[in-house]
Amino acid sequence: MINAEVSRGGCFLRAIDLYAGIGGWSLGLRLAGVDVVASYEWWQPAIDTHNSNHAGDLRSIDIRKLCLEDLPQQIDLVVGSPPCTEFSYANRGGRGNISEGLKDLVKFLEVVDYLKPTFWALENVPRVAQVLRHGFDDPEHALYRFRHLKPEIAVIDFSDYGAAQARKRCIAGNIPFSLLETYRTRLPSRTLGDVIQNLAAPDVVTDPLWGVTLPVRKLTEAQAEAPLNGEELRMNRESKEFHPVYNNMAFPDPFPQPSRTVTATCTRVSRESIVIADPKAPGAFRRLTIRERASLQGFPITYQFYARSFAEKAKMVGNAIPPTFTYLVAHAAQRTPVKSLPSFDEAGASLVLPAKVSAVTPPDTEGRSYPETRSFRAALPGLRFKSGMRFDLSNDFIDGGANWKVRFFFGPSKDIQEVDLDGSVELDLRHSPLVGSILVGLQGNFARIESKLCSTNPATLQAVWTRRAEGLGPYELTDFLGELSEKLHDALLGALDVDALQYLTAYVVTVADQSVRNGKLPGQRKLEKNAIRILSGFVVADWFNTLSWHDRRQLAA
């Protein structure tokens, strides 16, 4: 909340906030002296949060049905963040309902066109920049009738405008973009580490952005969830460092730079979740608290979040626009010269806690049990080659019980190929004078892994994965198979001459080529470059996939 005695004077602009959410626009505008005369939102938890922090009386309203004649008049600034779900690439891989999302863009622009404010600004995910540009150029498009508004459309990174988070968003409107750009020279650079360390202070917490202070006992939303367990840690690391398609991420998230984008939805196991080394528990890793997420989003430590659960609070924070940026937009709209721009610390002097603080909502806990058909897929260590080429262990349930199989994939994302590892490659090589003796020499290594499997069966492996039993789990099995292929790879390189290695390279290419459904063999150079390691994977996968162990699939766990 902003101290009324401080914020009362100097309101030069009148603004309305469409799709207001929890108040990211309103907070920044009010801290800059703009009078936000009306805000509109439909989601009740966001409304409760907005009202409590801004002493307002918002009520849920379907903005699409908002009557233009009911809007306040003489508005200088219209701002808002229409829902981005249908435009986000995170929604069903970018296959959201664009026509549905357009309804909110149309409504926002209808309001702008009706009120004719001096300035307006719309914020959304980067993809909306393309949607807007296309819409203003296409006579058949729903947005074409607003082309006369002639907005400037830019994709900016909020970390360039004071936030401690790398968050790219589309900003469209007629605000003084060039003046806004000059503000960057006056802004501090904040990092994930700044936020984590400031909020971990033992006695008095200083806001890493706004400078306001609170005793630790008054800091809300600081409850940390339990550290990631071994399985969760492995899954998070795998999804970030060894994703089969997307670029690698650092793990854990590094402190000396802005954080990755804070998302609205995340679980204890996900590629999108920000995971840190817990500064208060050496060796432990955890996700962020609600307060840490909010600070990365630019909300002051006085801001309260009113919702029924940790997940609901994470959603409202992740959907918000950083008030650090909206504060700068408000000053640009007021033509504040860069030399006269009040710092975040100066603006933060007016911040106080609301009369009612938010209720404690316990963080999520680790999963205790999972469906009996819980899926598993993990790449074998040493057998992942980026861009989708990999060996992985996975399960399926085609015939009722759990089937476990090692599979090899290669080729670009739009043309993924798979080699059927049914034992034929291993059989070829065991009869080969080049490789047969090497495999005989490693027979003890193969036998040791088979003996470990004797204590289990496909059903019990699945039961361990679903937390219904103790014993050998699928991640341990992937490690055993990865270690076995590494031993074979090293033995091949150490025993074979150049001619033999070239022969085996050609053999790998032939096996891959025979699996191509149609057309030209994709990724041949990559196959050749990694041929001996791939050959090792072929042998281990063939051996595992044809073990009699699989015949016990229907046995009860």
Side-chain angles (χ1 to χ4, degrees):
M1 180 177 288
I2 305 170
N3 188 317
E5 295 301 318
V6 176
S7 64
R8 183 177 297 147
C11 292
F12 300 106
L13 300 184
R14 285 164 50 85
I16 64 168
D17 181 4
L18 297 170
Y19 304 95
I22 61 175
W25 276 109
S26 290
L27 178 61
L29 268 57
R30 286 179 167 140
L31 285 171
V34 172
D35 184 13
V36 183
V37 299
S39 298
Y40 303 90
E41 174 58 38
W42 67 271
W43 188 36
Q44 193 60 50
I47 292 169
D48 295 340
T49 296
H50 198 293
N51 284 340
S52 296
N53 284 283
H54 295 273
D57 59 355
L58 274 66
R59 296 182 181 180
S60 178
I61 183 171
D62 183 347
I63 300 173
R64 293 180 181 179
K65 298 178 181 178
L66 188 63
C67 181
L68 297 177
E69 289 75 16
D70 292 339
L71 293 167
Q73 300 299 304
Q74 297 181 324
I75 296 300
D76 304 296
L77 176 62
V78 173
V79 298
S81 300
C84 65
T85 304
E86 302 301 342
F87 300 110
S88 174
Y89 283 109
N91 179 25
R92 300 191 296 277
R95 296 185 295 274
N97 189 337
I98 300 296
S99 60
E100 186 67 19
L102 277 173
K103 294 178 182 178
D104 294 297
L105 296 184
V106 167
K107 189 63 182 186
F108 183 94
L109 295 175
E110 279 182 346
V111 171
V112 171
D113 203 26
Y114 176 77
L115 291 177
K116 295 178 171 53
T118 306
F119 296 111
W120 62 275
L122 176 152
E123 179 257 356
N124 217 289
V125 294
R127 189 183 187 186
V128 169
Q130 302 171 15
V131 173
L132 291 171
R133 292 186 181 111
H134 174 68
F136 295 144
D137 288 339
D138 182 0
E140 303 299 322
H141 201 280
L143 299 178
Y144 186 70
R145 64 188 172 102
F146 301 108
R147 65 193 184 283
H148 62 278
L149 295 175
K150 298 180 179 179
E152 185 170 345
I153 303 169
V155 174
I156 61 102
D157 189 330
F158 288 143
S159 66
D160 293 331
Y161 293 88
Q165 171 195 189
R167 186 182 188 89
K168 290 185 177 181
R169 286 296 185 267
C170 166
I171 305 296
N174 67 343
I175 57 174
F177 279 88
S178 58
L179 178 58
L180 185 66
E181 176 77 13
T182 67
Y183 293 163
R184 292 174 56 182
T185 62
R186 294 283 308 278
L187 301 176
S189 296
R190 293 289 182 254
T191 67
L192 172 61
D194 293 333
V195 168
I196 301 302
Q197 290 159 9
N198 277 37
L199 296 181
D203 301 310
V204 176
V205 175
T206 300
D207 192 288
L209 297 168
W210 299 99
V212 62
T213 61
L214 283 178
V216 167
R217 60 185 174 80
K218 290 191 174 183
L219 184 70
T220 59
E221 313 296 0
Q223 295 79 22
E225 66 183 8
L228 299 176
N229 62 36
E231 179 185 290
E232 292 169 332
L233 190 60
R234 173 72 176 262
M235 294 175 73
N236 275 286
R237 188 185 296 275
E238 292 273 334
S239 68
K240 292 176 171 62
E241 292 186 338
F242 303 109
H243 196 279
V245 177
Y246 302 117
N247 292 332
N248 289 356
M249 295 178 177
F251 186 88
D253 284 83
F255 280 4
Q257 62 193 44
S259 79
R260 292 184 292 105
T261 301
V262 174
T263 58
T265 57
C266 59
T267 62
R268 284 177 64 88
V269 177
S270 86
R271 178 175 163 83
E272 291 74 26
S273 293
I274 298 171
V275 176
I276 63 169
D278 193 338
K280 295 183 177 180
F285 299 86
R286 63 170 175 83
R287 292 191 305 161
L288 301 177
T289 66
I290 295 297
R291 182 56 60 193
E292 289 164 343
R293 297 166 197 245
S295 287
L296 290 173
Q297 277 282 58
F299 284 89
I301 57 176
T302 54
Y303 216 78
Q304 302 296 295
F305 305 97
Y306 302 86
R308 296 165 295 182
S309 67
F310 182 95
E312 202 166 61
K313 289 179 179 178
K315 177 181 178 180
M316 63 171 57
V317 171
N319 278 333
I321 183 172
T324 41
F325 179 74
T326 63
Y327 172 76
L328 300 173
V329 169
H331 273 291
Q334 295 175 96
R335 305 284 189 181
T336 304
V338 62
K339 292 183 179 179
S340 303
L341 179 69
S343 68
F344 293 144
D345 279 4
E346 292 175 83
S350 65
L351 293 166
V352 294
L353 281 169
K356 176 186 175 183
V357 297
S358 56
V360 174
T361 48
D364 296 344
T365 58
E366 60 182 273
R368 301 298 180 185
S369 64
Y370 297 90
E372 292 185 4
T373 56
R374 184 188 185 193
S375 62
F376 178 87
R377 170 165 288 181
L380 272 57
L383 293 172
R384 38 201 168 198
F385 310 97
K386 297 188 182 294
S387 300
M389 183 183 287
R390 70 198 185 280
F391 287 84
D392 67 37
L393 175 69
S394 61
N395 59 358
D396 63 49
F397 303 88
I398 296 175
D399 298 321
N403 301 285
W404 295 88
K405 184 178 182 180
V406 175
R407 307 167 75 187
F408 175 66
F409 300 94
F410 68 100
S413 59
K414 294 183 179 180
D415 188 25
I416 293 289
Q417 306 289 330
E418 180 182 355
V419 174
D420 187 10
L421 300 170
D422 58 359
S424 59
V425 174
E426 185 203 8
L427 186 62
D428 276 352
L429 295 175
R430 285 196 180 277
H431 290 91
S432 164
L434 291 174
V435 182
S437 61
I438 296 175
L439 291 176
V440 170
L442 291 173
Q443 195 58 44
N445 299 90
F446 284 86
R448 277 192 290 275
I449 293 179
E450 189 168 5
S451 69
K452 294 179 183 294
L453 287 170
C454 287
S455 64
T456 183
N457 59 56
T460 56
L461 188 66
Q462 182 68 23
V464 171
W465 178 233
T466 60
R467 303 281 182 90
R468 288 172 170 77
E470 299 290 334
L472 179 73
Y475 272 120
E476 292 173 273
L477 180 54
T478 63
D479 289 343
F480 291 151
L481 297 175
E483 291 168 8
L484 187 56
S485 71
E486 188 69 22
K487 289 183 183 297
L488 176 54
H489 170 263
D490 291 347
L492 289 170
L493 288 183
L496 301 177
D497 60 23
V498 173
D499 289 341
L501 294 175
Q502 288 178 344
Y503 172 82
L504 292 175
T505 296
Y507 177 78
V508 167
V509 172
T510 299
V511 170
D513 190 43
Q514 290 172 347
S515 70
V516 176
R517 294 182 294 274
N518 51 63
K520 183 180 178 181
L521 173 68
Q524 181 169 336
R525 288 186 179 180
K526 193 169 184 179
L527 288 164
E528 292 172 344
K529 179 181 178 181
N530 300 285
I532 304 307
R533 196 170 292 279
I534 292 171
L535 185 76
S536 303
F538 282 168
V539 172
V540 171
D542 266 0
W543 169 80
F544 172 76
N545 289 345
T546 55
L547 283 175
S548 59
W549 177 82
H550 297 277
D551 298 335
R552 297 183 284 156
R553 179 172 59 83
Q554 300 290 355
L555 294 179

